[in-house]
Amino acid sequence: MPQENNAEKRMASDKNANAAGENIIEVNNLKTYFPIKTGLFSRVTGHVKAVDGVSFHIKRGSTMGLVGESGCGKTTVGRTMLRLTPRTEGEVLFNGRDIYSYSKEELRALRPKIQLIFQDPYSSLSPRLPVGEIIGEGIREHNIVPKEEYEDYLTRIMASCGLQGYYKDRYPHEFSGGQRQRICIARALALNPEFVICDEPVSALDVSIQAQIINLLMDLQKEFNLTYLFISHDLSVVEHISDTVGVMYLGSLVEFGTKDEIFSNPLHPYTKALFSAIPVPDPTVKMNRIILEGSIPSPANPPSGCKFHTRCRDCMEICKKAAPRKYDFGGGHFVMCHLYDDKLTDEQRKAISDEADAYDKEHLNNV
């Protein structure tokens, strides 16, 4: 127990030192690779690059939406940020300190402050425990409130999430999908977190229930000053709840900016294709749908140069040879695409040229 107390004191000191910081989360060049093992001796013959050099930040009290196709690495980003999946490279700063620098005791003290709401409300709840025990287990484990205040605190948390007090003795199978997701939200909220990762929390629910859960998350954010990373493939939901938006493709963040900038002025061809697929509830509106040709390349063997060039209608020769550099359009809106190379610095353009020359030499040697 003394070790835990010391860890909590160090965390409180870190938080006070960074309380004035605008960003609660900063992710810098995060990479998560999974080894591919083959043969009798399970030799490592390659890596699946699930997350490949992702960088972004989230302001305190705001919501960042993370969108992209299935399999692009969105969930792996969230799990790596929480140290549920080990990183390969990069850093995740929470209140100014790298989460991967925490000792075992410090990490245990940190856990209540960063929580995760899972995608599937059916499999993420133990069928053997009543709802009161599911929500209250973490409260007791981390000593969130004194024992004499436990029941009142549990009732307040459940009420905040739209759950009646008499639900405590019921089991998950007695509830609908929307109610189960409220239980999952209450379980995360009970630990008094600062940062919550919402991993597609409404994708398994009916549309009418989705709206209720989204509104609940927004109300709780205002009430408890929460910060969200909202992972989703539903762009209409992301537009409703997010302040900033990041677009992922094959493990890389190709565009990032404020919600208004991203939705009104998408710059990357992949972002434009995604947004063209958003349904419009007006049968008279003609949709200019951008159809992506081909299938998503394997993250175990991504294309050279720009990863999107195999499906991009704006593909140029340079796209096949060199990876694009990040260009900042101002206001935090950046894009990684060769269409904007003329706006890069001389140093960035030289780096692209050198990479293209290296590709040509390697290609000629292999011919």
Side-chain angles (χ1 to χ4, degrees):
M1 288 300 292
Q3 284 183 326
E4 280 191 33
N5 290 336
N6 289 336
E8 289 174 358
K9 288 178 181 177
R10 285 194 294 271
M11 279 187 55
S13 176
D14 290 338
K15 181 181 176 182
N16 291 335
N18 294 283
E22 189 177 37
N23 299 327
I24 189 172
I25 287 286
E26 293 182 23
V27 176
N28 298 315
N29 195 35
L30 187 64
K31 297 181 180 180
T32 306
Y33 296 170
F34 298 103
I36 301 172
K37 298 181 180 180
T38 58
L40 182 63
F41 299 101
S42 297
R43 291 192 177 93
V44 176
T45 57
H47 290 86
V48 174
K49 298 180 179 180
V51 180
D52 194 14
V54 168
S55 299
F56 59 83
H57 62 270
I58 308 176
K59 293 183 179 179
R60 200 177 304 276
S62 69
T63 299
M64 174 185 161
L66 190 60
V67 302
E69 293 170 296
S70 296
C72 70
K74 304 186 300 294
T75 295
T76 306
V77 167
R79 293 182 63 85
T80 305
M81 290 172 66
L82 296 180
R83 279 184 65 169
L84 298 178
T85 298
R87 68 176 177 182
T88 302
E89 191 179 310
E91 59 181 7
V92 181
L93 304 180
F94 176 72
N95 285 324
R97 182 178 173 189
D98 189 359
I99 287 177
Y100 282 83
S101 70
Y102 281 76
S103 66
K104 185 177 180 180
E105 292 77 19
E106 289 174 322
L107 184 61
R108 176 180 168 79
L110 172 71
R111 285 299 184 197
K113 300 300 179 186
I114 49 175
Q115 288 294 300
L116 174 64
I117 298 172
F118 294 95
Q119 177 177 358
D120 187 359
Y122 294 89
S123 62
S124 61
L125 298 175
S126 172
R128 297 180 176 84
L129 295 177
V131 167
E133 185 64 23
I134 289 173
I135 299 173
E137 187 177 19
I139 301 173
R140 289 199 305 270
E141 186 70 22
H142 292 280
N143 300 312
I144 302 299
V145 294
K147 290 182 179 179
E148 59 271 17
E149 299 177 19
Y150 170 80
E151 287 296 334
D152 289 340
Y153 181 77
L154 180 58
T155 301
R156 288 200 310 273
I157 290 297
M158 291 180 64
S160 297
C161 297
L163 299 168
Q164 301 297 324
Y166 59 83
Y167 288 172
K168 292 178 185 177
D169 298 324
R170 295 187 179 181
Y171 288 82
H173 71 270
E174 301 179 62
F175 296 90
S176 67
Q179 288 174 316
R180 290 190 194 193
Q181 197 60 286
R182 289 176 185 271
I183 295 169
C184 294
I185 294 171
R187 177 175 58 183
L189 188 66
L191 297 178
N192 192 26
E194 296 178 35
F195 175 59
V196 181
I197 294 179
C198 307
D199 185 9
E200 302 199 33
V202 297
S203 63
L205 306 178
D206 293 339
V207 175
S208 59
I209 305 301
Q210 286 184 10
Q212 295 177 21
I213 297 301
I214 292 298
N215 290 332
L216 172 63
L217 288 171
M218 295 177 72
D219 291 341
L220 292 174
Q221 183 176 41
K222 292 177 183 177
E223 183 177 354
F224 297 99
N225 192 32
L226 299 172
T227 304
Y228 293 143
L229 173 61
F230 193 89
I231 299 170
S232 179
H233 59 262
D234 190 330
L235 293 167
S236 57
V237 171
V238 169
E239 184 177 15
H240 182 65
I241 195 173
S242 300
D243 299 298
T244 57
V245 178
V247 181
M248 280 192 72
Y249 181 79
L250 206 64
S252 299
L253 197 67
V254 297
E255 189 166 359
F256 178 87
T258 64
K259 175 183 67 178
D260 294 337
E261 276 288 323
I262 292 289
F263 278 86
S264 65
N265 184 32
L267 299 173
H268 197 280
Y270 177 64
T271 309
K272 294 176 182 178
L274 278 183
F275 287 3
S276 74
I278 300 177
V280 177
D282 185 350
T284 63
V285 175
K286 176 70 175 176
M287 295 292 295
N288 295 318
R289 181 73 188 275
I290 300 174
I291 306 296
L292 296 179
E293 298 180 358
S295 58
I296 304 174
S298 169
N301 186 27
S304 59
C306 174
K307 295 178 181 179
F308 185 59
H309 85 259
T310 57
R311 306 173 71 195
C312 182
R313 64 180 185 178
D314 298 317
C315 178
M316 302 176 289
E317 194 62 30
I318 190 67
C319 301
K320 304 174 184 178
K321 301 177 181 180
R325 289 344 187 233
K326 179 165 67 175
Y327 178 73
D328 192 342
F329 275 78
H333 187 184
F334 73 75
V335 63
M336 299 182 73
C337 181
H338 286 298
L339 291 174
Y340 308 99
D341 281 357
D342 60 321
K343 298 177 173 25
L344 297 176
T345 64
D346 292 339
E347 184 178 352
Q348 288 175 313
R349 283 198 292 269
K350 184 179 184 304
I352 290 174
S353 177
D354 291 344
E355 189 174 332
D357 290 342
Y359 173 89
D360 288 335
K361 289 179 182 177
E362 182 180 357
H363 184 69
L364 288 172
N365 290 334
N366 291 334
V367 172

